[in-house]
Amino acid sequence: MGIHEECGVFGVLSAKKENVAELVYYGLYALQHRGQESCGIVVNDDGVFSSYKDLGLVSEVFSKDTLAHFPEGTMAVGHVRYATTGAGARENAQPLTIKYVKGTLAVVHNGNLVDVDRLRARFEYQGAIFHTTSDSELIAYAIAQARLHGTSVEDAVCRAVGELRGAFSLIVMSPRKLIACRDPWGFRPLCMGRKGKAVLFASESCAIESVGGTLERELDPGEIVVVEEGQVRSIRDNCRGQSHMCIFEYIYFARPDSVIAGQSVHEARVNAGRLLARRHPVEADLVVGVPDSGLDAARGYAQESGIPYGVGFVKNRYVGRTFITPDQTSREQAVRIKLGALRSCVEGRRVVMIDDSIVRGTTSRQIVVLLREAGAVQVHLRISAPPFIAPCYFGTDIPDSEHLIAHDRSPEEICALTGADSLGFLPLKVLHQIAPDAGCGFCDGCFTGNYPIRL
């Protein structure tokens, strides 16, 4: 509950004109967990782009009447956003649509660039006028500028992203082509699927399956996939044979029914729970998980330890992120609005509480209080990730080190601050074992302070 997701992207190229806006709408609905601040859709009808975006959840921004205003088309892209670079204002909502001498482009982006100041200064000295504070606009400008050299739009994308540093999973829509791209380090996921003759791109496989599509494969780090008139081409000029998938995708970000780099997210979280039980056993009566990403890890802990698994919390599903205000009092009240402890399950019991992470520690303390107020006689806190000791620069809202409770405190000190009877983190040395089937390397910089890119 302390970490915010980054963004989710979805795109479709159909073999015929159809209601592609509705297809993207359902795809974004499946990606809502990746961003709750804003969302948007752009539809391409024979080169004419129609767009709508606003602050709010997908169900709030797109009513039946709003969707009905979109024309039928052959292509569309959509985006759900949580702000990591740039304020959460309406002008920063995506997709970004730009008109330039070569035509129109729509861009959706998941990730963070690490050289934003350099790029912005370069473009401003060249006369660029920015309408947002988002690094996604820098990517759009880079592509448009490369396009001015007379190359094709896919060559422009290839040239532009070859100069970018950081995390970016992109979908770019031109009047005739749909182009998907991952950064050469592979920080953020991006996959391709099909629904009939339509080609789909999405941040996670769950979104492709939610619209009735079939997952075909994931894009390789650095790969650019171009779809034109139903034909799919791959450009691998920026592929470096490296992969540094954010391991927090498995711990928290992705939906449990997604598969990333060949690894089931659900199984990765169960594995984390099993590893926790081996490294931090405790005598207890019940294992509970903090919804939602702590639930699968709690099942794994229960299976390995033999302690019964139970439901310890009820989550209010009708509270959006817009409810939460940034001051501490409001954050603490928000925990009580979002979660309720089940007294009938925890009263009089020694409870093992599994959560995905501890950031500042305030949320964990509040949840421990909820269990004690519901009658738990002991609360043993287990975390299915190592301690956060460093910020993330690649699209995750992990704050500067001085705001991280584990930055300069021992587990014993953190335990005292949370009010738990004991505390155990997933050891760093076994972190990568949670995803044994993943065909990729990992970025674990927020746990180690070591990053794949020189900052």
Side-chain angles (χ1 to χ4, degrees):
M1 294 176 66
I3 295 292
H4 299 303
E5 296 87 347
E6 61 291 317
C7 297
V9 299
F10 192 92
V12 55
L13 187 148
S14 176
K16 63 181 187 303
K17 279 193 177 185
E18 60 175 308
N19 190 356
V20 286
E22 185 175 83
L23 190 68
V24 173
Y25 168 81
Y26 288 120
L28 295 183
Y29 218 108
L31 296 172
Q32 185 73 87
H33 59 286
R34 297 187 71 88
Q36 294 89 36
E37 281 194 353
S38 64
C39 59
I41 296 173
V42 175
V43 171
N44 181 349
D45 176 20
D46 289 334
V48 178
F49 286 35
S50 302
S51 68
Y52 188 81
K53 56 186 179 180
D54 206 345
L55 299 178
L57 303 175
V58 174
S59 59
E60 297 168 343
V61 172
F62 293 105
S63 65
K64 185 176 181 181
D65 291 339
T66 305
L67 288 171
H69 281 93
F70 282 108
E72 290 189 338
T74 54
M75 281 187 274
V77 293
H79 189 269
V80 291
R81 183 173 193 261
Y82 177 80
T84 50
T85 294
R90 188 182 186 280
E91 62 265 22
N92 288 325
Q94 295 186 37
L96 293 176
T97 304
I98 61 170
K99 295 182 179 180
Y100 67 119
V101 67
K102 292 286 187 177
T104 306
L105 290 177
V107 178
V108 290
H109 166 222
N110 170 27
N112 249 30
L113 302 182
V114 297
D115 55 350
V116 171
D117 293 340
R118 176 186 67 83
L119 284 173
R120 184 175 289 270
R122 188 185 96 186
F123 288 134
E124 286 178 339
Y125 275 114
Q126 293 172 351
I129 299 174
F130 290 97
H131 301 282
T132 78
T133 57
S134 167
D135 58 350
S136 304
E137 190 174 15
L138 294 171
I139 297 174
Y141 267 109
I143 296 170
Q145 187 181 72
R147 185 77 170 90
L148 296 179
H149 294 285
T151 58
S152 64
V153 64
E154 61 263 36
D155 289 339
V157 171
C158 188
R159 176 182 293 188
V161 301
E163 298 178 357
L164 300 176
R165 295 178 66 248
F168 49 90
S169 286
L170 304 172
I171 306 177
V172 179
M173 182 171 67
S174 75
R176 295 176 52 241
K177 300 173 184 177
L178 193 66
I179 302 169
C181 170
R182 282 184 76 194
D183 66 76
W185 300 272
F187 286 108
R188 298 294 165 200
L190 188 62
C191 57
M192 179 175 69
R194 294 182 186 268
K195 183 180 181 182
K197 295 183 178 180
V199 179
L200 309 172
F201 295 105
S203 292
E204 293 183 35
S205 60
C206 67
I208 289 175
E209 292 165 352
S210 72
V211 299
T214 302
L215 175 66
E216 188 166 299
R217 68 180 182 89
E218 296 183 55
L219 274 67
D220 291 331
E223 184 181 12
I224 298 171
V225 175
V226 183
V227 188
E228 182 180 11
E229 296 180 350
Q231 301 299 310
V232 178
R233 293 180 282 116
S234 175
I235 301 172
R236 307 184 64 86
D237 294 357
N238 293 319
C239 293
R240 303 177 180 179
Q242 301 172 332
S243 180
H244 299 282
M245 172 70 70
C246 171
I247 200 163
F248 214 57
E249 290 282 353
Y250 295 105
I251 297 168
Y252 177 80
F253 288 140
R255 244 174 57 167
D257 55 335
S258 287
V259 175
I260 296 178
Q263 172 67 58
S264 160
V265 174
H266 163 76
E267 287 298 329
R269 292 176 185 168
V270 171
N271 289 339
R274 292 192 181 109
L275 291 167
L276 260 178
R278 294 172 195 165
R279 267 67 181 184
H280 296 287
V282 66
E283 291 187 6
D285 306 305
L286 185 71
V287 179
V288 301
V290 178
D292 287 309
S293 50
L295 299 178
D296 290 338
R299 289 185 177 92
Y301 193 101
Q303 291 169 8
E304 186 70 22
S305 67
I307 302 171
Y309 170 82
V311 178
F313 299 97
V314 174
K315 183 178 180 180
N316 187 340
R317 305 285 177 180
Y318 304 98
V319 180
R321 281 281 165 86
T322 52
F323 171 82
I324 302 175
T325 50
D327 61 277
Q328 185 57 38
T329 301
S330 297
R331 276 199 296 264
E332 292 177 359
Q333 182 60 38
V335 173
R336 292 183 176 271
I337 295 297
K338 280 193 160 188
L339 287 181
L342 279 172
R343 178 175 293 273
S344 61
C345 291
V346 304
E347 189 171 25
R349 296 187 175 184
R350 299 169 297 175
V351 177
V352 182
M353 185 183 86
I354 312 294
D355 205 354
D356 58 77
S357 59
I358 299 180
V359 186
R360 294 176 177 88
T362 52
T363 298
S364 298
R365 182 171 62 247
Q366 287 296 306
I367 300 174
V368 170
V369 168
L370 289 178
L371 288 175
R372 293 202 187 280
E373 289 177 347
V377 295
Q378 293 179 10
V379 179
H380 300 279
L381 184 55
R382 297 292 181 267
I383 305 300
S384 61
F388 285 123
I389 63 168
C392 175
Y393 300 97
F394 309 112
T396 304
D397 186 27
I398 297 173
D400 291 338
S401 298
E402 59 265 26
H403 299 297
L404 299 171
I405 192 173
H407 174 62
D408 55 359
R409 294 181 179 90
S410 68
E412 292 75 20
E413 291 173 318
I414 299 170
C415 182
L417 289 171
T418 62
D421 292 282
S422 71
L423 170 64
F425 289 95
L426 185 72
L428 183 62
K429 64 181 179 181
V430 301
L431 174 62
H432 294 191
Q433 295 178 26
I434 71 172
D437 297 329
C440 64
F442 300 107
C443 174
D444 54 15
C446 53
F447 303 124
T448 64
N450 300 317
Y451 305 100
I453 298 177
R454 184 170 176 268
L455 301 174

